[in-house]
Every structure is written in C-alpha cells, then in structure tokens.
Amino acid sequence: MPSSEFRSSILYALALSVLGAFVWDRLCVGIFAPRLLMAGYKDAWNALPSREEGFQTLVKLVMGAFVFGLYIYTENFVILILAFYFWKQLKKQEAKIKATEEMKLAGVTPTDTIAAAQAPCPVGSSGPSGKK
C-alpha cells in the first residue's frame, strides 16, 4: 500500500491537472471565440432558477437535513412518518395554489367555478347526471 503522503500528492496532482485543463480551455475559448464564451455564460445564467425557486429549494434541503438529524438523534421512526405526512400536505397545498394560478391565467376566477357548480339547474334542463 502506498503511504498517505504519496496518496495525497497524487490526488493533489490530479486535482491540479483537472483544474488547469478547465482554466486552459476557458482561456483558449475566450481568446479565439469570445462571443461563443459569452453566449455560453448567458445561456447558463438564464437556465438558473429564479431567486424564489432557489430559496424554496434551499428551505426544502434544510428541512430535510433537520428531519434526518432529528431522526438520527431520536432514533424514532415516527419522525419520518410525520415528516412524510407534512410533506404530502405541502404538496397538496402547492397543487391548489398552482391550479388557482392557472385558472387566473385562463381568466376564470375560482369563485366563478364554485358558484357555477353550486347553482341550481333550471326546471326542465338536464342536471349534472344528464337526466331530465
């Protein structure tokens, strides 16, 4: 087995080689094709999530780490069950919000659809079941 000093020096050399290749590549593209380099950076910037989406992802990650840490600390399986239950409730709430936003974009207010569903049918017309 190689010594830990030799192993560390090989890993450092490998990391430096990969980093150097990346820097050399960016430098060459910057010199010979600067518009291509800027277009790539612009596309990468546009592909990033919005600040709100990034913050939501960060909150979910922190909450997941908290639940995992709490589970490891307490060794209680109920923590995981409760976390899953609350996660499902959150997903349901997000789906409702998304549906409401889609309805607003379509020009239909949620109160219009509720009122139309609860409105009595005129006499002689077919009801919800299609029967007279």
Side-chain angles (χ1 to χ4, degrees), residues 29-49:
V29 172
I31 291 170
F32 297 112
R35 288 189 294 173
L36 182 65
L37 181 69
M38 287 301 128
Y41 284 141
K42 183 180 176 187
D43 286 343
W45 181 261
N46 291 336
L48 288 174

Side-chain angles (χ1 to χ4, degrees), residues 31-127:
I31 291 170
F32 297 112
R35 288 189 294 173
L36 182 65
L37 181 69
M38 287 301 128
Y41 284 141
K42 183 180 176 187
D43 286 343
W45 181 261
N46 291 336
L48 288 174
S50 67
R51 288 182 189 251
E52 182 179 321
E53 291 171 344
F55 182 72
Q56 288 175 351
T57 303
L58 180 66
V59 167
K60 288 178 184 178
L61 182 67
V62 168
M63 291 304 295
F66 176 75
V67 167
F68 181 71
L70 190 62
Y71 171 69
I72 294 297
Y73 180 73
T74 62
E75 296 180 359
N76 190 351
F77 193 70
V78 175
I79 299 293
L80 297 179
I81 294 171
L82 288 174
F84 181 74
Y85 172 76
F86 286 121
W87 179 72
K88 292 298 270 185
Q89 295 300 317
L90 179 67
K91 287 295 180 186
K92 285 181 185 177
Q93 186 179 13
E94 287 176 354
K96 285 181 184 179
I97 291 170
K98 185 178 179 182
T100 304
E101 288 174 357
E102 288 176 356
M103 290 174 71
K104 285 181 182 177
L105 287 175
V108 179
T109 59
T111 55
D112 292 342
T113 56
I114 293 171
Q118 293 176 347
C121 294
V123 177
S125 67
S126 62

Side-chain angles (χ1 to χ4, degrees), residues 10-20:
I10 293 295
L11 288 176
Y12 289 140
L14 180 63
L16 186 62
S17 174
V18 169
L19 181 66

